[in-house]
Amino acid sequence: MMVARSGRTGGAPRLTIGLPVYNSADYLPQALDSLLAQSFGDFELVISDNASTDATETICRDYAARDSRIRYVRESENRGASWNFNRVFQLATGEYFKWAAHDDYCAPTFLERCINVLDADPSVVCCHTKTQKVDARGDPLPLNDPTEGGNRGHSGHRARNASSRYAHSRFRDVLLSSGWAVRCYGVMRAAALQQTGLLLPVYGYEKIMMAELSLVGRFHVVPDTLFYQRVHTESSSHLATAAEQQSFFAAKSVERSFPRLEYLRGYVRALHRVPISRTDRMLAFVSIIRYLLQVSKWKSVIVSSLRGAGTGGAARGAIADADGSPEYAASAPDPVT
């Protein structure tokens, strides 16, 4: 049972948690309970509701009435997921910032452990923990931890990870590795995130935003599993077609979209937006060339794009791996982002 309390000591909170929601009633109470039960309590929880039509509004208002740390804002129309993610950051007042999803949840010490790292090391701009994927009921799934990241280059050697002190190495890790979408739910320095272009209304653009953030500073993963990412058929990553994905992210229908072209533009823009050394910029461009030279994968990208298939497919792939469902495996698009 949730207990109304406040970890605030006066003035602006140290952390803002931004929770964008839209028709999120099914899993929202567990997500809220896990955030409000954190051992670190000096935060505000900003909820932006994209005009939900289910019980989301009732749930949010009920929780806000019982805990003064919650600020609930409701929009008059659905403006799309990317707008809503950006909106909660624009409303943030904390030194640190964390996005939260309505269907994920955290262990009670998640915030405390991440903030301890950020407080101790100014070079770290984003801290997450190891992650366990769970099913719709919250039961563990035998799937890889998406925060492991890492990439084996053409030589077979593992690429330097995003904790490197070199900006180009961090950028390469994001560009050529998987698992980066989940890291956008870590705790970040708000000032560092402000240096990025945030999210454009393109499905999957969070990876480009994290690549841009990697140019600003280092990432860190706490070696304990304190974050639980829910995999279920109602999640956005279960959307199969590019049109469905774009409608979700931008709240408008499109006949055909080419998100990977926007990804490429985003990576190039990132190298011009963030002030880094000439050497780092040059070596980061080399990583973009390596990204483009993934010939075997780009063949499937072109085919899936012509068929109107979307990008990612993490939920479909995870469900297929977990239960062997061929209908999900057959529709899962290529892994190139």
Side-chain angles (χ1 to χ4, degrees):
M1 179 178 178
M2 184 190 71
V3 178
R5 64 174 183 167
S6 175
R8 302 277 291 276
T9 57
R14 294 205 66 206
L15 167 72
T16 297
I17 302 172
L19 176 57
V21 294
Y22 176 69
N23 288 351
S24 307
D26 286 348
Y27 304 108
L28 184 56
Q30 184 178 12
L32 290 172
D33 286 341
S34 80
L35 293 172
L36 297 175
Q38 291 291 304
S39 58
F40 178 90
D42 188 11
F43 64 81
E44 63 176 348
L45 173 54
V46 178
I47 305 174
S48 178
D49 186 351
N50 244 344
S52 293
T53 56
D54 64 356
T56 296
E57 179 179 8
T58 299
I59 294 170
C60 290
R61 292 193 184 281
D62 178 58
Y63 273 76
R66 291 184 278 159
D67 197 304
S68 61
R69 293 173 294 179
I70 298 177
R71 180 157 42 117
Y72 174 69
V73 179
R74 180 176 171 84
E75 301 302 322
S76 60
E77 60 180 334
N78 182 2
R79 299 174 183 268
S82 64
W83 183 93
N84 214 15
F85 268 76
N86 291 340
R87 178 60 171 163
V88 292
F89 179 63
Q90 292 163 355
L91 294 172
T93 63
E95 171 190 2
Y96 298 133
F97 179 80
K98 170 187 162 46
W99 271 299
H102 78 279
D103 47 2
D104 299 333
Y105 56 96
C106 309
T109 58
F110 177 90
L111 295 180
E112 180 182 358
R113 296 289 299 279
C114 289
I115 288 175
N116 284 345
V117 171
L118 292 165
D119 282 346
D121 190 344
S123 71
V124 176
V125 296
C126 177
C127 183
H128 207 296
T129 74
K130 294 187 70 173
T131 296
Q132 171 68 59
K133 293 194 179 223
V134 299
D135 63 17
R137 297 180 300 274
D139 296 329
L141 290 170
L143 303 174
N144 293 334
D145 177 359
T147 57
E148 290 292 343
N151 173 69
R152 292 194 180 278
H154 298 302
S155 64
H157 297 293
R158 186 168 293 283
R160 295 176 180 175
N161 61 35
S163 65
S164 170
R165 63 190 180 95
Y166 298 107
H168 70 271
S169 293
R170 301 191 299 265
F171 182 82
R172 178 179 60 187
D173 190 65
V174 181
L175 184 67
L176 299 178
S177 302
S178 60
W180 276 93
V182 73
R183 294 202 199 186
C184 72
Y185 293 108
V187 180
M188 294 172 270
R189 296 187 190 277
L193 187 58
Q194 188 67 55
Q195 295 182 51
T196 73
L198 297 179
L199 292 174
L200 293 187
V202 178
Y203 186 87
Y205 206 82
E206 64 272 13
K207 186 173 181 180
I208 289 75
M209 179 187 67
M210 297 305 282
E212 198 165 359
L213 186 63
S214 76
L215 296 173
V216 180
R218 298 173 54 242
F219 288 67
H220 182 85
V221 175
V222 173
D224 293 313
T225 302
L226 303 175
F227 184 76
Y228 300 87
Q229 183 183 36
R230 198 183 305 269
V231 177
H232 58 99
T233 58
E234 300 302 316
S235 65
S236 62
S237 58
H238 194 263
L239 299 173
T241 70
E244 289 175 324
Q245 292 178 347
Q246 193 60 18
S247 177
F248 168 79
F249 226 54
K252 60 182 179 181
S253 59
V254 293
E255 292 185 2
R256 187 174 296 275
S257 65
F258 299 95
R260 291 176 186 82
L261 292 178
E262 292 299 330
Y263 299 163
L264 180 59
R265 292 192 189 102
Y267 290 131
V268 172
R269 279 195 297 263
L271 296 181
H272 292 289
R273 187 194 304 273
V274 180
I276 55 177
S277 71
R278 181 177 298 180
T279 299
D280 272 324
R281 184 171 288 107
M282 178 186 69
L283 292 174
F285 269 114
V286 171
S287 294
I288 291 180
I289 294 173
R290 289 181 59 189
Y291 166 76
L292 292 172
L293 289 177
Q294 298 175 100
V295 178
S296 61
K297 293 183 179 180
W298 280 100
K299 179 180 178 180
S300 64
V301 166
I302 294 172
V303 172
S304 64
S305 295
L306 292 175
R307 292 176 176 173
T311 62
R316 280 169 288 136
I319 292 172
D321 288 343
D323 64 13
S325 303
E327 65 269 27
Y328 295 125
S331 64
D334 64 276
V336 179
T337 55

